[in-house]
């Protein structure tokens, strides 16, 4: 449901650095790459890596794409405006392993890493309103333990969607050797509370945490966005150490999610960057590990809903998130 994590406070929008639109920089990069003959690509990429030259020179890295992303898939290319070029399915993690600068690494690259996945909401929350409405302390203020989440107009629940994508994401990450922990998996009648969701990531010493959601706003509002933690310090909330790495994680996921799904950044917030900074989410405020939320689309928009109710699209969504995590973790 929108009230828990959808409306960014006015000040948050300004926290998204307007000088770092990841897709614009990607677009520039892709144009440069596309201008080169394929035979020159590997050498060019190596040069970029060795010298730090090019559009990535100024930190932070803007959701880097694999070197092989010049191999655009015509079908996917059409799915996005020019700012979000696609990548061929052939540039999967294993296919890209021969290029050192590829964002997606060889299989097993996450061995020894821990990723916590938080499927937003719970399909049982509707039946446990007293429990989920109890107030919990998120450091900066008090808030409901959890919310019901939204649904498509045909009744497909956000909590069903988030769990399905999370399970697909788990499989993709485990295939890379990661240890994966889900905050819940339909094994409890409601919740967990947002405080517990954060605690699970912290106690697992997760190298990355992703909370999976879908938005529920007016029809016509489309696209995905990543929610990044604001810098907050109040009570149990202290995000100073995770703001930087969480942004990098979010940028990586945004770039890869756009590539695998063909979705564009949200057209209704974030200024078209697909990135929003929020200071009102307990799941972010209480995290001590790099963490982002992803709102995969708008369930109340018929076109976005048609995608999210498709198992094939959900697999692409999970793969994009997984590729972003792999890139962030240095694969
Ligand atoms: Zn949600």
């Amino acid at each position: 449901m929108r009230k828990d994590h959808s409306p960014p406070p006015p000040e948050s929008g300004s926290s998204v650095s307007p000088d770092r639109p990841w897709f614009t920089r990607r677009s520039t990069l892709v144009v440069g790459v596309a201008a080169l003959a394929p035979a020159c690509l590997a050498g060019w990429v190596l040069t970029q890596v060795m010298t730090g030259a090019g559009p990535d020179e100024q930190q932070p890295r803007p959701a880097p794409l694999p070197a092989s992303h010049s191999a655009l898939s015509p079908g996917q290319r059409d799915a996005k405006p020019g700012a979000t070029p696609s990548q061929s399915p052939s540039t999967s993690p294993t296919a890209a392993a021969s290029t050192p600068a590829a964002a997606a690494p060889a299989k097993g690259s996450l061995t020894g890493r821990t990723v916590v996945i938080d499927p937003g909401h719970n399909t049982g929350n509707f039946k446990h309103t007293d429990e989920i409405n109890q107030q919990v302390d998120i450091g900066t203020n008090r808030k409901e333990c959890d919310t019901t989440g939204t649904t498509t107009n045909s009744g497909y629940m956000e909590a069903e969607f988030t769990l399905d994508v999370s399970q697909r994401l788990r499989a993709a990450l485990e295939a890379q050797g990661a240890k994966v922990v889900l905050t819940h998996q339909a094994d409890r009648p409601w919740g967990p509370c947002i405080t517990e969701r954060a605690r699970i990531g912290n106690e697992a010493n997760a190298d990355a945490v992703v909370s999976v959601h879908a938005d529920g706003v007016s029809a016509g509002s489309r696209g995905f966005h990543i929610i990044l933690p604001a810098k907050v310090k109040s009570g149990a909330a202290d995000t100073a150490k995770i703001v930087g790495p969480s942004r990098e994680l979010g940028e990586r996921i945004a770039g890869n999610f756009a590539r695998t799904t063909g979705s564009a950044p949200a057209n209704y917030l974030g200024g078209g960057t697909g990135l929003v900074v929020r200071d009102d989410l307990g799941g972010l405020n209480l995290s001590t590990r790099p963490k982002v939320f992803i709102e995969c689309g708008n369930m109340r928009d018929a076109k976005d809903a048609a995608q999210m109710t498709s198992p094939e699209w959900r697999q692409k969504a999970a793969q994009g998130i997984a590729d972003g995590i792999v890139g962030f973790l240095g694969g």
Side-chain angles (χ1 to χ4, degrees):
M1 191 167 285
R2 182 168 169 76
K3 66 181 180 179
D4 70 330
H5 53 72
S6 296
E11 67 272 20
S12 295
S14 60
S15 301
V16 178
S17 301
D19 58 337
R20 293 203 301 265
W22 58 267
F23 63 90
T24 301
R25 299 179 61 157
R26 282 176 50 201
S27 181
T28 304
L29 179 61
V30 168
V31 170
V33 172
L36 297 173
C40 299
L41 183 57
W44 179 85
V45 168
L46 281 173
T47 301
Q48 300 301 300
V49 171
M50 298 304 290
T51 65
D56 284 354
E57 185 175 4
Q58 305 297 323
Q59 69 86 34
R61 284 169 288 177
L65 288 179
S68 48
H69 71 282
S70 60
L72 298 178
S73 161
Q76 289 187 322
R77 187 189 300 133
D78 291 342
K80 295 189 285 288
T84 54
S86 303
Q87 181 182 10
S88 163
S90 68
T91 55
S92 62
T94 47
S98 61
T99 51
K107 201 163 185 169
S109 61
L110 295 187
T111 300
R113 301 296 194 133
T114 299
V115 179
V116 170
I117 305 169
D118 177 37
H121 316 282
N122 183 317
T123 54
N125 281 0
F126 281 105
K127 301 175 184 172
H128 295 272
T129 52
D130 286 348
E131 289 90 339
I132 66 169
N133 285 335
Q134 62 186 298
Q135 297 285 299
V136 296
D137 185 352
I138 66 166
T140 49
N141 64 310
R142 295 182 66 79
K143 205 167 179 180
E144 293 87 0
C145 151
D146 204 10
T147 52
T148 57
T150 189
T151 68
T152 67
N153 291 334
S154 61
Y156 180 55
M157 296 172 64
E158 180 186 354
E160 296 177 85
F161 171 82
T162 63
L163 183 59
D164 182 82
V165 171
S166 295
Q167 289 172 333
R168 294 172 186 273
L169 176 56
R170 173 170 59 187
L173 294 170
E174 287 180 343
Q176 297 283 341
K179 175 187 176 184
V180 179
V181 177
L182 264 62
T183 58
H184 74 99
Q185 42 191 329
D187 52 353
R188 49 178 297 157
W190 56 273
C193 292
I194 52 179
T195 46
E196 184 178 352
R197 292 173 187 266
R199 182 178 56 77
I200 291 170
N202 297 346
E203 294 187 351
N205 275 326
D207 296 296
V209 187
V210 176
S211 189
V212 180
H213 287 264
D215 216 344
V217 293
S218 59
S221 296
R222 294 199 61 191
F224 72 91
H225 66 279
I226 313 291
I227 305 175
L228 312 174
K231 185 176 180 180
V232 296
K233 182 171 175 60
S234 178
D238 184 357
T239 58
K241 291 180 179 175
I242 69 164
V243 166
S246 297
R247 173 172 285 275
E248 182 182 348
L249 172 63
E251 290 177 340
R252 296 270 189 171
I253 291 175
N256 283 283
F257 189 87
R259 172 178 58 81
T260 60
T261 64
S263 290
N267 64 5
Y268 57 97
L269 76 182
T273 64
L275 302 171
V276 174
V277 177
R278 300 267 301 266
D279 63 4
D280 61 326
L281 299 178
L284 294 179
N285 287 1
L286 297 175
S287 182
T288 60
R289 315 302 300 173
K291 182 173 182 178
V292 300
F293 281 39
I294 179 168
E295 300 280 1
C296 295
N298 174 20
M299 297 194 105
R300 294 294 183 176
D301 177 85
K303 292 179 181 175
D304 273 12
Q307 293 180 322
M308 287 185 279
T309 52
S310 157
E312 291 78 16
W313 191 89
R314 294 197 296 272
Q315 184 62 34
K316 293 176 184 176
Q319 190 61 54
I321 299 169
D323 289 350
I325 292 170
V326 170
F328 170 70
L329 294 178

